[in-house]
Amino acid sequence: MLERAQALHEELIRLRRDLHAHPELGFQEFRTATLVADTLTELGIDVKTGVGRTGIVGQMGTGSGPTIAIRADMDALPILQKSDAPYKSQNEGVMHACGHDAHTAMLLGAAHLLKQSMAEGNWHGNVRLLFQPSEEAFDENGISGATAMISDGALKNVDAVIALHVASDKLSGQIRFQDGYSLANVDSFKAWVRGDGGHGAYPHTGSDPLHMLSIILPAIYAIPSRRINPLRGCVVSLGQISGGAAPNVIPNEVYLQGTIRSYHDDVREQLHVEVERALKLAEQMGGSYEFQLTKGYPAMFNNVEVNGWMRDVAEEIVGETAVVETEFGMGAEDFAYMTRQAKGAMFMLGAAIDDGIVRNHHTDIFDIDENVLPLGTAILAETAHRFVTGKIR
C-alpha cells in the first residue's frame, strides 16, 4: 500500500497545494467541496454533497456488512499568511494553518488506493469517506462541522471511524499514538469583575475591581493544584485581562477571559463551578461579578482496539522505531464528537520541515514536509482495506 501511495506522491502534492492556495473558512468550503466531489466522481465513487452544509460523503463497498469511516477536515483559519511559497494563500486573511489541506489530500489519495483495492475483490464491507467542514469553530448556534455531519446521518451504520492529524512540530515521519483520552474538553469563559471605581488618590472611598482581581487570580490558578485530583489532568488559563484607562483612576470594571481544559466529564463540570466560585470572591470585597461560560468540544477518546489497528499498520509500514506512544496534550478536536458516536481513533503524523524553523499550528508561517503525504495516505487506506477484507474488526 505504501508503494502505491508513493506512486501518487506528485498528485498528493498537487492536491494539497491547490487546497493550500485556495483556503476557505468553516461552512464556506464551497470550492474545496467541489474539488473533493469532482475527484471522487472521477474515481467512480458514489458522492453525496451538502452533508453538514458543505461536507462531502463518499461511499464504496458491497452495500452490506460492516462500515468503516475515514474523516478529513477541510476548513482553514482567519490568518494572514507570511510565505513566499508559490502555493501561498490567494485568499487574503485566510490560511491553511493547521494542515487540513494535507488531511483532505491524503483522504483523496486513500480513496484512490481503496478504489484499486475494491477492484481486486474480496471486500465484505464498506468504506465511507467523510470530508468535514468547520472543524476549527462553531457557528452562531454552537454547531461545528462534526456535529452538523452527524446530524445529517454521516455516521449512520458506521462501525468504526479513523482519522489522522499532521504535527508540524514533530519529527517528519514519526507516528504518534495515545490510547484513551487524548485531546481535551475545551471550554471558554468571559467574566466581569465590578466595583465602584473612583479616584486613585482615595481608594478607601469605594471598591476597587483591580484589587479584587489580585485575590481572584491566585484562586483561579490554584484550582488545578488545590481543587482537582492531581491524577486527573486539567488546565485553567487566562488569555486576556483588561480594565482602566488612566493611572490615577480606579476603574469600575475589569474584564477577563480564559480557557478551561480537561479530560474527564466530572472534572469538566467541577472546573466550571470552581472558576465561578473564585470570581464570587468579588462579593466578599464589596463588588460583584458576571460569568459567562461557553462549552466547546468534548474530550477525544481513542478506542484502544481501533488505535491498535492503525498502530499495527504503521509499524509494518515504517518500523517500530518510528511509532511513538505519547500524550497528545490539552489541545482540542471536534473529531471527538465522532468518537462518541462510533468506536474511533486518531493518530498524529509528524511533519516538521527539517530546516531549524518551528512552524507551529495556527501561526502565519505554518507549513509541513510534503514527504509524509504518501505515508499518511497508506496508513489510512491499509487500515480500511484490512477492515473491509475481514482481517481486522
Side-chain angles (χ1 to χ4, degrees), residues 141-161:
N141 297 313
I143 303 298
S144 76
T147 54
M149 291 197 82
I150 291 168
S151 294
D152 278 358
L155 286 182
K156 185 177 181 180
N157 299 323
V158 165
D159 298 281
V161 58

Side-chain angles (χ1 to χ4, degrees), residues 174-190:
Q174 184 185 79
I175 304 164
R176 302 163 71 86
F177 289 93
Q178 182 180 6
D179 291 336
Y181 286 114
S182 304
L183 291 171
N185 297 304
V186 54
D187 304 312
S188 60
F189 68 90
K190 299 177 180 179

Side-chain angles (χ1 to χ4, degrees), residues 260-312:
I260 303 172
R261 308 286 173 120
S262 61
Y263 282 152
H264 302 92
D265 288 346
D266 59 333
V267 172
R268 184 184 201 180
E269 296 304 319
Q270 185 181 353
L271 287 168
H272 301 165
V273 172
E274 296 293 348
V275 170
E276 184 167 10
R277 179 179 291 171
L279 290 163
K280 198 174 181 67
L281 290 169
E283 296 179 345
Q284 306 303 312
M285 304 177 70
S288 62
Y289 75 95
E290 181 181 346
F291 177 60
Q292 293 183 3
L293 177 76
T294 301
K295 293 189 72 170
Y297 302 154
M300 186 181 76
F301 188 88
N302 277 335
N303 179 275
V304 174
E305 181 185 18
V306 177
N307 236 8
W309 299 343
M310 295 191 290
R311 186 186 292 109
D312 289 345

Side-chain angles (χ1 to χ4, degrees), residues 193-199 203-209 212 250-253 285-288:
V193 177
R194 298 187 175 108
D196 300 324
H199 198 298
H204 58 287
T205 62
S207 56
D208 181 351
M212 297 172 201
I250 297 172
N252 59 15
E253 180 179 278
M285 304 177 70
S288 62

Side-chain angles (χ1 to χ4, degrees), residues 318-334:
V318 299
E320 293 184 7
T321 58
V323 177
V324 178
E325 302 289 333
T326 183
E327 71 281 353
F328 289 174
M330 284 285 179
E333 244 284 355
D334 84 335

Side-chain angles (χ1 to χ4, degrees), residues 367-389:
D367 207 346
I368 65 164
D369 178 6
E370 294 175 322
N371 288 318
V372 304
L373 296 176
L375 177 56
T377 299
I379 295 173
L380 294 175
E382 178 63 20
T383 303
H385 166 78
R386 293 184 181 188
F387 184 90
V388 295
T389 56

